[in-house]
Amino acid sequence: MRIAVLTSGGDSAGMNAAVRAVVKQAIVRGCETYIVREGYEGLVRGNLEANDNGTANGANNDQSGVCTPPRPEDQGVEANLRFGYGGLLRDGEGDSTDPTSGKSLKGRYIVRVGWDDVRGWMGEGGTIIGTARCAAFRTIEGRTTAAHNLIKEGINALVVCGGDGSLTGADKLRAEWPQLVADLLSKGSITAEQAEMYKHLMIVGLVGSIDNDMAMTDLTIGAPTALHRICESMDNISSTASSHSRAFVIEVMGRYCGWLALMAGVSGGADFVFIPECPPTADSWEDEMCAVIKRHREMGKRKTMVIVAEGAHDKNLNPIKPDKVKDILRERLSLDTRVTTLGHTQRGGRPCAYDRVLPTLQGVEAVNALLESTPETPSYMIGIHENKISRVPLVEAVQQTQAVATAISNKDFATATRLRDPEFKE
Ligand code: F6P
């Protein structure tokens, strides 16, 4: 099996550990491994330069799209250990060189990798292989080009590490694959032999997102690190808030999901938390919040911390913005109030220990799931449930995640909250 791995959507701490685990486990299991730079964008762009002697990728490709099998000396464990680009992918697009052939890697997005390439990746933040939010992949033309590029490289299995949007894309690619192959064949872009050889694409999803917004898994890769960052920031804010007896309104990320905000509220000792799934029930959230904070102050608290999830809104779906909360605290409770937007400090930086362990276990499981996949088995998403690595049908997880957004837009907050429960079953 030839396995490619890509990271997509917003980066999250632990994505490098996931890529590393996939690459190493694939090699251990006798597969050839590739990374796709820049997420789906890299799949659509493919390898623009002709690779005339096949040294770099172990496959002999040319611009016509004809792919011949790799040379014998480029196959097997020995070759996998030999293919070391030695951190060259960090250099940025354009100036990397394949040490074996001396050729430039410029314009090549699907790159063969070996054991040494991922050395030291475990503790690195972000995603070394790059990520992008790719508009082209959302079109059928883009996905057809992506399919062609995969076939040109002889790849028949894909691991996608990303959030719900990225995994929705993966699910779509698998569902459409037979049609894409048929279209490529009818256009003469691939041969009948290739159409037969690549009639199935196996896909497995790993959930990389700080938001922890994916259904059917307890935790997503990167969420624990982001939470830890927020918690540290709250500790820092706490001491200055206490010194001046001030109030702070802290905006945290999470898109439509309140997990980061809620957990930050618990771990940082917030007075009030606004999350999208469960807005304040009172007719006036202002009254509800002020009553709670007033009580806390009367009990002797010198500081006030209010967490606002970036997707927070009231029960009528009107956004609740940090500046508005600040104005209310100032005007109604006379609190000296500041706003802190934590922004991308939550997303970047080194992964915490758990964001190394989780992606490592899940990356190993992803490769095992691919090797056990048949055309009849569904694409799996690798999750974690009750501390055990789990495999669930990707399509179900994607649908259930989308159902939360639908429930919120229908103001059905009880359903939204229920759907967020990892135990939820229809
Ligand atoms: O999905 C991850 C996330 O960090 C969200 O929490 C946030 O809404 C969004 O991405 C920010 O995206 P960008 O980095 O494109 O501004």
Side-chain angles (χ1 to χ4, degrees):
M1 189 174 261
R2 278 191 180 182
I3 299 180
V5 53
L6 63 83
T7 54
S8 171
D11 64 283
S12 67
M15 280 184 162
N16 295 318
V19 172
R20 171 186 176 275
V22 169
V23 168
K24 293 202 167 189
Q25 177 67 358
I27 290 172
V28 165
R29 296 287 311 263
C31 305
E32 288 175 20
T33 52
Y34 294 76
I35 56 93
V36 182
R37 300 160 65 199
E38 316 299 344
Y40 289 123
E41 186 72 37
L43 266 196
V44 175
R45 292 191 184 195
N47 290 343
L48 301 178
E49 283 186 359
N51 179 13
D52 53 8
N53 67 1
T55 311
N57 270 9
N60 188 10
N61 306 309
D62 60 26
Q63 297 290 48
S64 70
V66 177
C67 168
T68 55
R71 303 172 307 176
E73 62 267 35
D74 290 330
Q75 288 178 296
V77 173
E78 281 295 304
N80 285 331
L81 293 173
R82 202 180 66 230
F83 279 99
Y85 293 105
L88 289 169
L89 293 171
R90 292 158 202 249
D91 292 348
E93 189 183 341
D95 50 8
S96 307
T97 312
D98 168 12
T100 315
S101 66
K103 278 175 173 288
S104 167
L105 290 176
K106 183 175 181 186
R108 299 189 51 243
Y109 288 85
I110 307 174
V111 181
R112 172 107 181 247
V113 284
W115 196 269
D116 270 358
D117 294 311
V118 291
R119 189 190 295 272
W121 284 28
M122 182 81 97
E124 298 284 334
T127 166
I128 293 169
I129 63 176
T131 183
R133 295 201 165 103
C134 175
F137 193 76
R138 291 198 199 105
T139 67
I140 185 73
E141 293 79 17
R143 291 192 293 279
T144 308
T145 309
H148 193 197
N149 287 329
L150 283 170
I151 293 173
K152 279 197 270 184
E153 298 301 322
I155 289 161
N156 52 6
L158 189 62
V159 179
V160 175
C161 180
D164 62 334
S166 307
L167 297 187
T168 305
D171 182 49
K172 218 177 170 72
L173 183 66
R174 168 98 194 257
E176 280 177 358
W177 186 261
Q179 190 54 50
L180 299 179
V181 171
D183 289 350
L184 288 169
L185 178 62
S186 71
K187 281 194 276 186
S189 306
I190 57 172
T191 64
E193 196 190 359
Q194 282 179 307
E196 180 57 28
M197 202 177 341
Y198 297 104
K199 69 178 175 200
H200 302 296
L201 176 73
M202 303 303 171
I203 292 190
V204 164
L206 292 173
V207 203
S209 169
I210 67 164
D211 301 337
N212 202 23
D213 56 351
M214 195 77 196
M216 299 175 84
T217 184
D218 295 353
L219 215 48
T220 59
I221 297 166
T225 302
L227 176 58
H228 190 70
R229 293 274 186 281
I230 298 169
C231 191
E232 281 177 336
S233 299
M234 286 181 74
D235 288 347
N236 295 340
I237 288 169
S238 178
S239 52
T240 176
S242 212
S243 307
H244 290 261
S245 194
R246 277 177 174 159
F248 275 81
V249 183
I250 303 163
E251 187 187 61
V252 304
M253 282 187 168
R255 215 179 279 268
Y256 311 111
C257 183
W259 186 85
L260 277 177
L262 196 57
M263 294 302 129
V266 174
S267 50
D271 295 82
F272 207 85
V273 181
F274 292 100
I275 61 169
E277 298 88 339
C278 190
T281 47
D283 282 336
S284 155
W285 61 261
E286 293 91 336
D287 288 351
E288 192 174 329
M289 176 186 75
C290 288
V292 170
I293 290 171
K294 190 161 174 287
R295 201 167 63 239
H296 290 177
R297 286 279 169 168
E298 283 166 359
M299 286 161 72
K301 271 191 101 171
R302 277 183 61 83
K303 64 171 189 242
T304 298
M305 286 199 282
V306 176
I307 306 278
V308 183
E310 63 180 351
H313 47 73
D314 66 15
K315 63 181 185 176
N316 294 315
L317 302 182
N318 301 308
I320 296 177
K321 291 291 168 199
D323 278 336
K324 170 82 176 161
V325 176
K326 179 191 74 179
D327 292 345
I328 301 289
L329 293 174
R330 276 191 177 164
E331 286 157 19
R332 308 243 313 236
L333 299 177
S334 305
L335 290 173
D336 185 7
T337 308
R338 301 284 189 275
V339 171
T340 303
T341 302
L342 297 180
H344 290 76
T345 59
Q346 298 160 86
R347 217 163 78 183
R350 287 184 175 278
C352 67
Y354 197 67
D355 270 325
R356 304 175 192 205
V357 174
L358 181 68
T360 299
L361 297 177
Q362 291 184 328
V364 168
E365 181 68 3
V367 172
N368 293 344
L370 282 176
L371 288 168
E372 288 160 28
S373 291
T374 68
E376 287 72 43
T377 49
S379 294
Y380 287 112
M381 181 187 91
I382 309 301
I384 181 160
H385 186 53
E386 294 186 342
N387 221 18
K388 290 200 171 55
I389 302 301
S390 59
R391 274 184 211 181
V392 295
L394 181 56
V395 63
E396 282 180 35
V398 162
Q399 279 167 2
Q400 194 172 309
T401 304
Q402 285 162 353
V404 179
T406 308
I408 291 176
S409 62
N410 292 334
K411 300 186 194 170
D412 183 358
F413 304 114
T415 302
T417 306
R418 215 171 59 248
L419 287 168
R420 285 275 188 236
D421 182 349
E423 296 290 331
F424 175 83
K425 291 244 166 11
E426 275 195 293

